[in-house]
Amino acid sequence: MAMSIDVDAGPVRRARSVPMRRALRRLMDDPAGGLWEFAQEAGGEVVRLELGPFRPYLVTHPDHVQQVMRLEWTNYQRTGMFWRPLERLFGKSIMGDGEQWRISRTILQPLFTTRYISTLAEEVAARVAGRVEEWDGYARSGRPMDATAEMSGILTYIVNRVLFGDKLSREDAERIVPAFDLVSHSLVARFLMPFMPYFVRIPGDRACLRGVKQIDDVVFPIVRKAMADPDDGLDVISVLCRSTDEEGRPLTATQIRDALVSVYAASSETTAMILTWLWLLLEEHPDVAARLQAEIDEVVGDGPARADHVPQLSYTRMVLLESLRLYPSGWLLPRHVMEDGVVGGVRIRRGSTVLISAYATQRLEEFWERPHEFDPERFRNGNTAGGERRHRYSYFPFGGGPHKCLGEHLFYVEAPLVVASILSRFRLSVRTPGPYTPGWAASLRPKGRIELGVSFASRDRSAVAR
Ligand code: HEM
């Protein structure tokens, strides 16, 4: 096994390390799979990845994840080399740490409670249905669709209501999706070389700045208009316009822009990616696909799916939870070490980076039987922690501790509605041959373009459409 063990440094050990050549080769080729492999080899113990000047610790044991994300979270912050590239997109906001994070979280939290989200569910359902109908064109023409683009399109359409109170025109929405895509791809080089100073231009920098400008060109005018003429709406932008910071000062246009862009990115890309992986998993598991279809036929019939269907779609929810175990969109959560610490008996040096990976932890053999198998039955009891005896931090697709995802409830409403609306109207088939491996991106996305074939579920519909 190509893993060396450093000399013991007293009662607190030094981390085992993965040598540079191997770490680099595996991570370039298959970043998520590489992290899992290193974690599994170490039996969940802390390991150090030798990546030249950058030597992060990989923390995957659920006890250790809990320590970093919850118990000692103030010592493991979202700043430093890994987060700096993201500041180009998010500014200083809820996707960071410190004062701006606290202000944004306090303002936004009430907008994402289960209760409040349930008041939006009917509208979300209507939007999903309207948007899904537009796919009739694909079904009629036989033209394949680009999975990630279409999933992002639906999500943006929903988010435009929840976040922007429909202040984003369709044209704006169509500009914003490719701009986010551009930024997400072009940031990859900075993630791979987090130690590279900013005065050194690296590939992707120019494209990233172009993408951020395109986003700003759409978002700033909306923010300024809303600030000049505030309404009493409960969408995120209206609430931000009426909010103040801890000293009672109104938020600036930049603070509002940063909060909106952060929540937009956190909400649409993550959900769009898991919905993309879902079709790939269903294609490879026809038995699960058949059970899912049977549930949707029974509950939703010819559709469209309504909000009151959601609680009855229990198998759909199990399928989504298991998809999130295998392909958690937030697959890599880096933290900057503020002071020396000890995790799992290993000394963690101040100023270094700790990498948490739900992808790796959620496939550890010590905590999951048949870890790579897609088996929604694991979630039969509706337990999002995945069964009574399982460690809370063996499954954390929505993170944990004070930074836990704000959008989890929204996800549990919107994702089943999207899946049920699609499958009550269409049958999808994957046209791109496998195997499907995750590439390098901020959210876990399949390498390359995934094409889906679309056909009508019922003959009547295809006849009407003709
Ligand atoms: C598949 C869907 C989603 C997944 C897998 C996901 C995952 C995550 C994860 C892992 C974190 C923690 C980040 C960290 O600890 O560094 C997070 C944070 C966050 N998520 Fe989600 N998310 C999803 C959907 C959403 C949605 C729909 C929203 C809605 C608006 C949202 C808003 C947020 C926000 C605002 C944060 C930052 C919270 C904070 O740091 O205080 N997410 N998400």
Side-chain angles (χ1 to χ4, degrees):
M1 192 183 299
M3 188 174 282
S4 63
I5 302 182
D6 277 355
V7 277
D8 225 32
V12 179
R13 280 177 293 120
R14 281 211 217 149
R16 288 162 157 229
S17 64
V18 182
M20 184 155 93
R21 271 186 58 187
R22 173 154 183 255
L24 276 177
R25 197 168 22 104
R26 282 298 287 132
L27 293 179
M28 293 298 278
D29 178 46
D30 176 9
L35 291 181
W36 167 77
E37 198 175 289
F38 306 146
Q40 188 58 60
E41 280 173 10
E45 291 303 311
V46 177
V47 281
R48 196 155 200 191
L49 311 182
E50 300 293 345
L51 299 171
F54 179 54
R55 303 173 62 223
Y57 299 92
L58 175 63
V59 168
T60 51
H61 189 290
D63 282 344
H64 307 162
V65 172
Q66 181 171 30
Q67 181 182 348
V68 169
M69 298 196 73
R70 190 164 81 81
L71 303 175
E72 294 178 10
W73 72 279
T74 51
N75 197 40
Y76 300 96
Q77 298 235 339
R78 299 197 305 194
T79 89
M81 285 195 287
F82 246 103
W83 289 90
R84 260 196 49 215
L86 290 174
E87 275 182 27
R88 282 183 173 172
L89 177 62
F90 298 140
K92 293 204 180 301
S93 69
I94 194 153
M95 288 320 272
D97 241 312
E99 197 193 340
Q100 278 311 321
W101 166 72
R102 209 175 43 249
I103 294 173
S104 312
R105 177 116 194 164
T106 312
I107 295 173
L108 293 172
Q109 203 148 9
L111 295 175
F112 292 97
T113 57
T114 323
R115 203 151 152 215
Y116 179 60
I117 293 298
S118 66
T119 66
L120 297 175
E122 207 50 74
E123 212 172 331
V124 170
R127 281 184 172 240
V128 171
R131 184 68 198 230
V132 164
E133 274 178 28
E134 293 180 17
W135 289 3
D136 284 9
Y138 287 113
R140 256 182 261 134
S141 66
R143 201 163 36 94
M145 70 181 192
D146 177 333
T148 53
E150 285 297 339
M151 296 303 143
S152 301
I154 296 188
L155 266 303
T156 302
Y157 196 55
I158 299 171
V159 161
N160 187 20
R161 165 67 190 90
V162 181
L163 297 187
F164 292 88
D166 280 335
K167 294 176 177 79
L168 200 72
S169 68
R170 177 130 194 189
E171 207 178 50
D172 289 339
E174 276 162 13
R175 282 168 65 200
I176 226 171
V177 173
F180 269 97
D181 233 37
L182 182 63
V183 176
S184 177
H185 278 107
S186 53
L187 276 174
V188 168
R190 284 273 165 204
F191 286 140
L192 291 172
M193 293 180 265
F195 45 83
M196 197 61 96
Y198 273 73
F199 59 81
V200 180
R201 272 273 161 95
I202 61 171
D205 275 357
R206 210 183 289 261
C208 178
L209 295 176
R210 200 169 61 242
V212 171
K213 180 165 183 315
Q214 286 165 6
I215 292 166
D216 285 350
D217 287 347
V218 170
V219 175
F220 266 124
I222 297 172
V223 170
R224 294 215 177 88
K225 191 158 170 246
M227 288 174 82
D229 186 14
D231 58 36
D232 54 5
L234 279 178
D235 58 278
V236 175
I237 185 165
S238 304
V239 170
L240 286 165
C241 285
R242 295 195 299 270
S243 299
T244 54
D245 67 13
E246 286 163 345
E247 259 100 61
R249 290 177 301 227
L251 302 187
T252 63
T254 303
Q255 281 173 310
I256 297 175
R257 173 264 176 225
D258 291 349
L260 272 179
V261 170
S262 303
V263 184
Y264 175 87
S267 59
S268 46
E269 164 117 357
T270 46
T271 313
M273 289 314 133
I274 195 59
L275 291 175
T276 302
W277 285 109
L278 173 73
W279 306 118
L280 302 178
L281 286 165
L282 293 177
E283 181 81 12
E284 289 173 337
H285 299 85
D287 50 328
V288 175
R291 284 189 62 186
L292 179 68
Q293 188 67 58
E295 176 175 273
I296 290 167
D297 288 349
E298 191 188 323
V299 175
V300 179
D302 277 350
R306 297 189 312 263
D308 59 310
H309 290 141
V310 174
Q312 300 169 62
L313 294 169
S314 52
Y315 191 68
T316 310
R317 185 176 165 116
M318 287 159 60
V319 169
L320 287 164
L321 292 174
E322 175 67 345
S323 306
L324 278 169
R325 183 183 70 80
L326 286 175
Y327 296 104
S329 317
W331 65 288
L332 186 62
L333 306 175
R335 296 291 194 260
H336 183 76
V337 183
M338 308 304 284
E339 297 297 337
D340 282 0
V342 176
V343 176
V346 164
R347 162 115 34 240
I348 304 287
R349 296 282 174 205
R350 172 186 178 179
S352 52
T353 299
V354 163
L355 299 179
I356 304 272
S357 170
Y359 182 96
T361 301
Q362 293 174 181
R363 289 171 181 246
L364 283 180
E365 281 159 15
E366 286 77 357
F367 301 94
W368 296 92
E369 275 172 31
R370 303 167 282 110
H372 304 291
E373 233 173 77
F374 179 58
D375 179 9
E377 286 303 316
R378 300 177 204 269
F379 293 95
R380 170 140 302 278
N381 299 325
N383 183 352
T384 52
E388 273 168 32
R389 280 173 299 118
R390 220 166 271 142
H391 195 299
R392 156 72 184 87
Y393 280 81
S394 61
Y395 181 76
F396 56 101
F398 295 100
H403 287 298
K404 184 152 194 274
C405 179
L406 276 185
E408 190 175 351
H409 303 307
L410 178 59
F411 175 81
Y412 291 139
V413 170
E414 67 186 359
L417 284 171
V418 171
V419 175
S421 279
I422 292 173
L423 289 180
S424 63
R425 193 171 183 90
F426 301 112
R427 297 288 172 268
L428 302 188
S429 57
V430 180
R431 296 265 181 95
T432 312
Y436 314 107
T437 43
W440 263 106
S443 287
L444 196 71
R445 52 161 74 209
K447 270 186 201 163
R449 179 183 156 101
I450 300 293
E451 288 194 343
L452 297 178
V454 185
S455 57
F456 286 110
S458 82
R459 274 210 212 112
D460 301 352
R461 217 162 238 156
S462 48
V464 170
R466 270 200 299 271

